[in-house]
């Protein structure tokens, strides 16, 4: 089976508010997040993690844009 490294990623996510808001109530809309999973794909635009893997495939995938990533750390399995 191909080796897929287990990684921890710190990244920034955004949120969306709907409806009108008063200018004085505007706040930062960037949410710091952490994800852990097997890195199954990456390129210059994004990294794809999987929460589950087997010899035949993977499930519960998450794609994070590279521009949102603060750090990537490889973990021991």
């Amino acid at each position: 089976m191909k080796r897929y490294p287990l990684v921890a990623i710190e990244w920034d996510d955004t949120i969306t508010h709907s409806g009108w808001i008063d200018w004085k109530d505007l706040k930062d809309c960037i949410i710091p997040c952490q994800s852990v999973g097997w890195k199954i794909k990456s390129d210059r635009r994004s990294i794809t993690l999987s929460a589950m893997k087997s010899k035949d495939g993977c499930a519960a995938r998450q794609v994070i844009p590279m521009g949102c990533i603060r750090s990537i750390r490889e973990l021991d399995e």
Side-chain angles (χ1 to χ4, degrees), residues 3-12 33-51 58 60-75:
R3 183 181 184 285
Y4 297 100
L6 183 63
V7 297
I9 298 179
E10 293 186 14
W11 59 285
D12 291 330
C33 298
Q34 296 177 327
S35 295
V36 175
W38 285 275
K39 183 174 78 169
I40 59 172
K41 182 183 173 199
S42 67
D43 57 32
R44 65 179 187 78
R45 294 185 64 207
S46 65
I47 186 168
T48 303
L49 299 183
S50 177
C58 63
R61 294 175 313 278
Q62 177 183 21
V63 179
I64 304 170
M66 285 296 192
C68 295
I69 295 176
R70 290 180 179 198
S71 69
I72 303 171
R73 182 171 46 96
E74 194 164 324
L75 303 173

Side-chain angles (χ1 to χ4, degrees), residues 8-60:
I9 298 179
E10 293 186 14
W11 59 285
D12 291 330
D13 198 2
T14 62
I15 60 172
T16 302
H17 296 285
S18 61
W20 289 95
I21 189 168
D22 201 81
W23 290 110
K24 67 181 176 6
D25 296 326
L26 287 176
K27 293 183 175 47
D28 192 7
C29 293
I30 295 176
I31 308 298
C33 298
Q34 296 177 327
S35 295
V36 175
W38 285 275
K39 183 174 78 169
I40 59 172
K41 182 183 173 199
S42 67
D43 57 32
R44 65 179 187 78
R45 294 185 64 207
S46 65
I47 186 168
T48 303
L49 299 183
S50 177
M52 297 179 279
K53 69 176 177 110
S54 73
K55 65 180 180 69
D56 298 319
C58 63

